[in-house]
Amino acid sequence: MNIFATLSRLEAENRSFALLQIIECRGSSPRHCACMLLSETGEVEGTIGGGMLERLAIARAREALEEGASCIFHGRLARHGENAVGSDCGGAVSVHIAVYPRQPELFLLGAGHVNREIARLALALNYRVTVADTWPDNLTHPQLPPACRRVGGDNYMQITPQLGLDTQSYVVIATNHEDREALEQVINQPYRYLGLLASRRKAHHLRNMLRKELGMDEETVARLYAPLGLDIGAETPAEIAVSVLAEIVREHRGTGKAARAAQPQTGTTPVLEVATTG
């Protein structure tokens, strides 16, 4: 498979990858113009010349993928000195490592008024959106954007394994009277963000349930955003969607933890509990 076919497949699978390309070459070196890629799962396609130069460039690309930031790798084909890679060719190569992150994935449990608005706005922000519900009519609602992936089931015990959650997943729970069940199924799954659409009173009750009935430790309970969303006085489903997506974007851009630690988690207004129904 050539590098462009692999790039296309990784994009379709929503996998992050790094593209390594020689941008400068001086003196004797294995390749003068070449590129290769490294996927988040370690898949390699193409070559920039092999040997220790390529091995070290791949190692730097792995770091760049973890950091989520592009960079330039400099390698001198020498045994000693700055940027030496441990060979005797005598040349020098600079490699641009371009990181292409995956699209953020948002999983909406419940397809009622608020989550439909969140889905619409999230798609405009280039999120991949999955909507799950136990009520088939919600999944075929005309206001649910066609681009959403839909997952149905009799209950959230059936639904959750189908979602494919991982450590980069963003999850919002806003069901029609099934919040507790959905929360119980998701809380032990991998995710980056888990938010619950609820009043402060309901959020307090469910946190106590996690502690006392499920034996969750405080670190796990503290990861739950409830009430979720930035406190902007939102009332309508569209306003609530803005509040929720603003919080998710803040988390995605890496400022969520610091901002959350600096301010009390007040969340949105108690009207949310009414807005969760389908």
Side-chain angles (χ1 to χ4, degrees), residues 85-186:
V85 301
S87 66
D88 298 315
C89 295
V93 176
S94 294
V95 179
H96 182 240
I97 301 174
V99 172
Y100 293 85
R102 65 165 87 172
Q103 284 179 266
E105 293 191 81
L106 177 62
F107 297 83
L108 304 175
L109 307 191
H113 297 296
V114 172
N115 271 354
R116 289 197 292 268
E117 289 294 331
I118 293 175
R120 182 182 61 80
L121 183 55
L123 288 168
L125 295 174
N126 203 34
Y127 283 70
R128 291 196 177 198
V129 180
T130 296
V131 182
D133 206 302
T134 59
W135 190 26
D137 287 352
N138 264 355
L139 294 177
T140 58
H141 195 283
Q143 291 181 358
L144 188 63
C148 294
R149 171 191 172 215
R150 293 160 169 80
V151 176
D154 294 335
N155 51 59
Y156 283 96
M157 184 179 293
Q158 288 183 2
I159 287 172
T160 303
Q162 302 178 60
L163 299 177
L165 301 178
D166 63 24
T167 56
Q168 296 302 308
S169 300
Y170 299 83
V171 185
V172 171
I173 298 174
T175 72
N176 187 6
H177 309 303
E178 297 168 292
D179 288 348
R180 172 173 173 156
E181 179 192 342
L183 181 59
E184 287 178 351
Q185 295 302 314
V186 174

Side-chain angles (χ1 to χ4, degrees), residues 75-87:
R76 287 178 54 251
L77 301 169
R79 295 281 179 180
H80 307 287
E82 187 179 9
N83 300 323
V85 301
S87 66

Side-chain angles (χ1 to χ4, degrees), residues 173-206:
I173 298 174
T175 72
N176 187 6
H177 309 303
E178 297 168 292
D179 288 348
R180 172 173 173 156
E181 179 192 342
L183 181 59
E184 287 178 351
Q185 295 302 314
V186 174
I187 191 71
N188 282 320
Q189 297 293 317
Y191 54 83
R192 180 166 177 177
Y193 170 97
L194 174 60
L196 174 67
L197 202 65
S199 67
R200 294 183 183 88
R201 179 178 179 181
K202 182 175 180 179
H204 177 74
H205 170 74
L206 288 175

Side-chain angles (χ1 to χ4, degrees), residues 225-247:
Y225 284 74
L228 84 173
L230 302 186
D231 190 357
I232 60 173
E235 294 188 3
T236 69
E239 290 173 346
I240 295 167
V242 171
S243 167
V244 172
L245 262 299
E247 183 169 81

